[in-house]
């Protein structure tokens, strides 16, 4: 700061011919002081996260290697609050013979213990010309919810679900990768499969 002060004094002596030059020199000195103050503030007070509550956090765990937490959303219905979690490569207790179909979990935020329970999803009867192949379908890769404080439908999708009806009929590998979504009620108990690309009759 001593060098800056001497430079200002020197500028004033050299530029006494014009009042305008004196004002400009003064403004340059002020800017250098402001910059110094900003640097000191940044060094003394480093940035910290403000959107995470580390003191009152809840921890939920899913099956190892299931990609538990790939997608999440908050859902509320009446006095109950849940964290809905997708685990796209998890094995399902509802369909043990299916390989890594993915699972949707509902984790209670209003009860003690922070337990997560799997939500049922099934496409065993998808239509007259439909036979499901749910292996590696990636259920839970995406989650969405209707807006509203009282709870709305929750939609969970599996984009790699396939219809293999024609593949088995003509012994060719003509699998139809239609994809499937499940619409859950606001209580997260009943799921209705939705296959937008399939137009067969049920």
């Amino acid at each position: 700061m001593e060098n800056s002060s001497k430079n200002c004094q020197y500028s004033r002596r050299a530029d006494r011919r014009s009042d305008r030059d004196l004002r400009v020199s003064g403004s340059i000195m002020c800017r250098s002081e402001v910059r110094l103050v900003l640097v000191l503030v940044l060094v003394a007070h480093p940035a910290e996260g403000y959107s995470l509550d580390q003191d009152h956090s809840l921890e939920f765990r899913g099956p190892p290697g299931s990609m538990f937490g790939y997608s999440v959303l908050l859902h509320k219905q009446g006095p109950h609050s849940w964290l809905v979690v997708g685990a796209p490569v998890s094995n399902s207790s509802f369909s043990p013979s299916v390989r890594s179909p993915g699972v949707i979990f509902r984790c209670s935020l209003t009860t003690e213990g922070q337990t997560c329970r799997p939500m049922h999803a099934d496409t065993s009867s998808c239509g007259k010309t439909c036979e499901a192949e749910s292996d590696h379908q990636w259920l839970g890769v995406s989650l969405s919810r209707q807006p509203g404080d009282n709870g709305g439908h929750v939609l969970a999708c599996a984009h790699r679900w396939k219809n293999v009806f024609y593949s088995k009929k003509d012994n060719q590998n003509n699998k139809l990768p239609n994809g499937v979504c499940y619409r859950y009620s606001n209580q997260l108990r009943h799921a209705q499969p939705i296959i937008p690309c399939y137009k067969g009759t049920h």
Side-chain angles (χ1 to χ4, degrees):
M1 291 299 295
E2 292 180 359
N3 292 336
S4 298
S5 177
K6 289 180 181 179
N7 289 338
C8 290
Q9 291 175 3
Y10 175 79
S11 297
R12 289 179 182 179
R13 286 197 301 268
D15 299 329
R16 286 179 182 174
R17 295 173 299 173
S18 170
D19 291 339
R20 180 180 178 183
D21 291 339
L22 286 174
R23 287 195 293 268
V24 170
S25 298
S27 64
I28 292 175
M29 180 186 67
C30 292
R31 286 186 193 137
S32 63
E33 289 177 354
V34 170
R35 288 175 183 167
L36 180 60
V37 171
L38 288 176
V39 171
L40 290 175
V41 169
L42 291 176
V43 172
H45 301 282
E48 297 180 356
Y50 60 89
S51 61
L52 297 177
D53 186 358
Q54 299 179 2
D55 297 329
H56 305 90
S57 62
L58 298 176
E59 183 176 343
F60 298 96
R61 293 183 179 272
S66 64
M67 297 181 70
F68 179 87
Y70 187 91
S71 58
V72 295
L73 64 80
L74 292 172
H75 177 72
K76 185 175 182 180
Q77 196 271 326
H80 303 288
S81 296
W82 290 282
L83 181 69
V84 182
V85 183
V89 296
S90 177
N91 288 312
S92 173
S93 59
F94 298 110
S95 306
S97 62
V98 181
R99 295 173 296 173
S100 303
V103 176
I104 306 298
F105 291 90
R106 57 185 180 94
C107 308
S108 177
L109 300 176
T110 54
T111 60
E112 297 181 0
Q114 290 96 48
T115 57
C116 296
R117 300 183 182 277
M119 297 163 56
H120 187 263
D122 183 31
T123 51
S124 56
S125 58
C126 54
K128 291 183 178 181
T129 57
C130 177
E131 185 173 344
E133 183 180 279
S134 301
D135 294 336
H136 310 290
Q137 66 176 347
W138 275 60
L139 176 60
V141 71
S142 66
L143 294 170
S144 61
R145 176 185 180 273
Q146 286 181 320
D149 295 334
N150 247 346
H153 293 291
V154 170
L155 198 68
C157 295
H159 69 292
R160 297 179 65 180
W161 179 91
K162 293 175 283 292
N163 179 3
V164 296
F165 177 84
Y166 295 103
S167 175
K168 291 188 174 182
K169 184 177 180 180
D170 56 16
N171 295 321
Q172 296 182 13
N173 195 27
N174 295 325
K175 298 181 179 181
L176 302 177
N178 297 135
V180 64
C181 292
Y182 296 91
R183 184 174 64 184
Y184 290 90
S185 64
N186 57 0
Q187 296 181 351
L188 303 180
R189 296 188 181 277
H190 305 288
Q192 175 189 356
I194 301 173
I195 311 172
C197 296
Y198 175 67
K199 296 183 179 180
T201 57
H202 289 265

